[in-house]
Amino acid sequence: MEKKYEQFKGQPRLPKFAVPKRYDINLKPDLVTCKFAGAVKITVDVVTGTKFIVLNAVDLFVDRNSLHFTDTSGCKVSEVLGVELFEEDEIMVVEFPQNLQLGLGVLCIAFEGTLNDKMKGFYRSTYVHCGEKKNMAVTQFEPADARRCFPCWDEPACKATFKITLEVPSELIALSNMPVVDENVDGKIKTIHYQESPIMSTYLVAVVIGLFDYVDDHTSDGIKVRVYCQIGKANQGKFALDVAVKTLGLYKSYFAVPYSLPKLDMVAIPDFAAGAMENYGLVTYRETALLYDDKHSAAANKQRVAIVVTHELAHQWFGNLVTMEWWTHLWLNEGFATWVSYLATDSLFPEWKIWTQFLDESTEGLRWMGLQNHIPLRHGVEINHACEIDEIFDAISYKKGASVIRMLQSYLGPECFQRALASYIKKYACSNAKTEDLWTVLEEESGEPVNNLMNSWTKQKGYPVVSVKLKDQYLEFEQSQFLLSGSHEDGQWIVPITLCCGSYDTCKNFLLQVKSETLDVKEFVGSKDNLVDILIKLFCCCFKKKEDNLVETRAWIKLNVDQAGFYRVKYDEGLASRLRHAIETKCLSATDRFGILDDLYALCMACQQPLASLLTLMGISFKIERIAADAAPELLEYIKQFFISLFQYSTQKLGWDPKQGESHLDAMLRGELLTALAQFGHDITQNEARRRFDAFLNDKNTPLLPPDIRKPAYVAVMQNVSTSNRSGYELLLKVYRETDQSQEKTRILGSLACCSDPDIVLEVLNFLLSPEVRSQDAVYGIHVNIEGRETAWRWLKDNWDHILKTWGSGFLITRFISAIVSPFSSCEKACEVEEFFASRAKPSISRTLKQSVERVHINAKWVQSIQNEKHLAEVVQELAHRKY
Ligand code: BES
Ligand code: ZN
């Protein structure tokens, strides 16, 4: 290999001697042989005198004789001296005999490639049509796989226009980012020319070719919107279509810029690694995230469709029109889309109270970040190789990202936040921006120190716990970094503190900018009369202890109102007991109650609070059951009994059958509660589930088993399966094989491993590796009961080579590790896991592995601390006997 190319290798980004302006791409896929031929003419602007052009390409066979460099009218201006592809660096270097002339020129390349089965680049997905198995051709380019389809400057900041031409079998539908301008049929092949796109990044280019049905509609300003799906399922696209049309309208007014393309297509793809992908004008989805079937979809499926559609459409502005400058800003792209998808969904379906469910995102984020092995949102280190980008699409980007954005919006106020966003979109439209660019615009609009505030959240890892104490007339606040492992690291944040005293009308906000701060009651004097009043009562009752009950009732302080802040709160005993009273007397919103509970749960896991204090407050948690199984097996039955009576109480009101006109949330809650009861082994629930399941087997349209209660029924069926009583398992497999509805398949996969018989668990796990389960879906089936975790771990080790081969090139591999390793709770197991992976290290799994092992250590420590808890047994036994 020649020395002169050495300088281009091992570089995180391409040299910009020449930058692309326009791609004219021709692709001709063969869906039978799974090969494709392509040609690209790239108009480049040569900006530096150079003999080299360096661009990305990987897994492509480049025809060296086809390579040439012309002027913009197609006349050859230079010979090509050499071409070299460096697979490892995913680049190709083209060398010319002398320096290229500055200004525009055209690089022409012909190439060939394979439609792979790895769900990235230009790949094949399969479906059955009229009993025949067929291939479709699909692209998935984010983050860095456009280079697997055509040579290009595959970086988000290298924006250009794209003029695409496809040559495909005449009977197929072929879609790309832009509408068709011209189509010529020549026998069995048709050539389709698409309109040239506005300037955009390579990772947003898309092509889909196959047989589809569609439904269509348009917005009031004439944008054509279509939902494409497998033939025969067009009706299932209507819900998403309706959401999309409305959402385009919403975002047009929210961002104060209309959607920038003439059409929007959304397509369900049978094999898809992520949930959905925001390709400009051609959004691709997993089937479960796009299709909604009145008969077979549950309320949770409907909500998922709305969230995913609103998320991907948000990217059409935030991401596609204004694009991150480099992958370090990915968290902003994903965090923002996640946050705004809740805003849009809330506006379309206010009755879903979707923000209460945002808490799931937020607390998931908090939970992740209690681990030491995570990275700050904005990487301190640059990304050095394309394969490192996949790893940053993790819970942190999405969940912490969305949560800190929500905190900021709530601090600045919705109007100010929206005005600033609109001017940010306008300022950076058709170009790229860094995280700081957004903060600067927000800072200008609001006059608040947004840069400093946000840097404290995005540039350091973790988040704080704020401890509050009431001493005499002072409220003391102190922040420290929250870590589940209980260890200490220094971190300091600028925390927007909100607090509310005695009523939601009496609130106070301030920025906690230092480690600790004290609020003097005198500071409140003159600010808000009502507040002073409440505070004085609060202090009185503090001094007088329990003398005045009436005062005590009203005298509570809740921090982090509405859980809008991304921090946890630890109250001193006095404040905590007031809050308990406030909860009992129904003074607090569901969101705030959840917040108190979740903070307590986390503090408990970090061994800063005893388990007993948590149990007296909380309702649902399988995690408690799990940890108790290791820490206090003798109490397990009591704990289960406690949960059963608690859930039974609510289930009695909801029943099994949907009620006419009931709310979306009741429908979801019914499924959750019954699943929990089935999981905890409640006899009556299991028998009823089986009765309904049998009716369903006789008649798939029976009103006895509507979609919202199928999950509990399936879980109950599996709970009773064993090697000597396999019928439930086999019947469930039969339902799986017969349905063509992907949400139904997913639901079944998610229930199969809920079995306590290790032999059955092993059978289920092996089934996941069979051709009957699409590789995109296997991860739904790996969540086993506690009795199955050893089996699952052994299975993971035995099948590691195969698992690595099938999933190793994407991010799904990390799910196998976290799901199977994290449930353990002994240090010996942590060592065993580390030993096993020591010789199997791979950069793409290293962080997940560290996080999972850390979780095992946290669990182990928690087990210890529970075992040392003094009065746990009494509390648990008392709870188990309580009647609700
Ligand atoms: N841009 C992502 C899709 C993606 C993820 C591409 C990972 C490449 C690697 C897309 O906008 C997205 O975030 N999809 C989510 C769904 C969303 C509703 C949170 C997903 O795929 O889970
Ligand atoms: Zn996204």
Side-chain angles (χ1 to χ4, degrees), residues 140 142 274-278 308 311-312 315 334 393 398 811:
Q140 167 61 45
E142 190 180 15
M277 174 64 213
E278 70 266 26
V308 181
H311 176 112
E312 304 311 332
H315 281 312
E334 294 305 345
F393 278 90
Y398 284 78
F811 54 84

Side-chain angles (χ1 to χ4, degrees), residues 783-832:
H783 299 272
V784 301
N785 283 359
I786 199 151
E787 297 90 345
R789 65 185 175 180
E790 275 298 341
T791 308
W793 168 232
R794 213 172 324 113
W795 172 84
L796 185 75
K797 289 191 289 188
D798 290 347
N799 293 282
W800 181 249
D801 293 342
H802 174 73
I803 291 171
L804 190 66
K805 201 167 131 239
T806 314
W807 288 276
S809 65
F811 54 84
L812 289 172
I813 185 99
T814 58
R815 309 262 180 94
F816 284 85
I817 298 175
S818 57
I820 292 176
V821 172
S822 313
F824 286 107
S825 59
S826 75
C827 296
E828 296 75 50
K829 195 50 96 179
C831 291
E832 193 186 319

Side-chain angles (χ1 to χ4, degrees), residues 74 122 178 296 315 350 369 400 439 462 474 522 610 626 662 681 706 749 759 772:
F122 201 10
M178 299 296 288
H296 298 287
H315 281 312
M369 254 125 3
K400 180 175 179 183
W439 301 157
Y474 301 101
K522 285 178 205 125
R626 285 200 165 219
E662 72 181 353
L749 288 176
D759 293 328
E772 289 190 74

Side-chain angles (χ1 to χ4, degrees), residues 254 339 405 408-409 412-421 442:
Y254 192 75
W339 173 77
I405 288 164
L408 181 64
Q409 189 243 14
L412 299 178
E415 294 82 15
C416 168
F417 189 79
Q418 181 187 350
R419 269 198 314 277
L421 257 177
L442 282 156

Side-chain angles (χ1 to χ4, degrees), residues 555-607:
W556 49 270
I557 290 188
K558 166 73 178 55
L559 262 75
N560 197 7
V561 183
D562 220 16
Q563 297 303 115
F566 196 65
Y567 52 90
R568 296 202 182 274
V569 182
K570 184 177 178 181
Y571 299 93
D572 70 9
E573 190 34 52
L575 291 169
S577 86
R578 275 165 232 286
L579 278 173
R580 276 198 289 276
H581 192 239
I583 291 170
E584 277 159 23
T585 51
K586 304 204 162 39
C587 295
L588 296 179
S589 69
T591 311
D592 284 321
R593 291 198 306 267
F594 178 87
I596 293 169
L597 180 62
D598 196 66
D599 285 353
L600 195 53
Y601 173 63
L603 290 165
C604 189
M605 196 191 296
C607 309

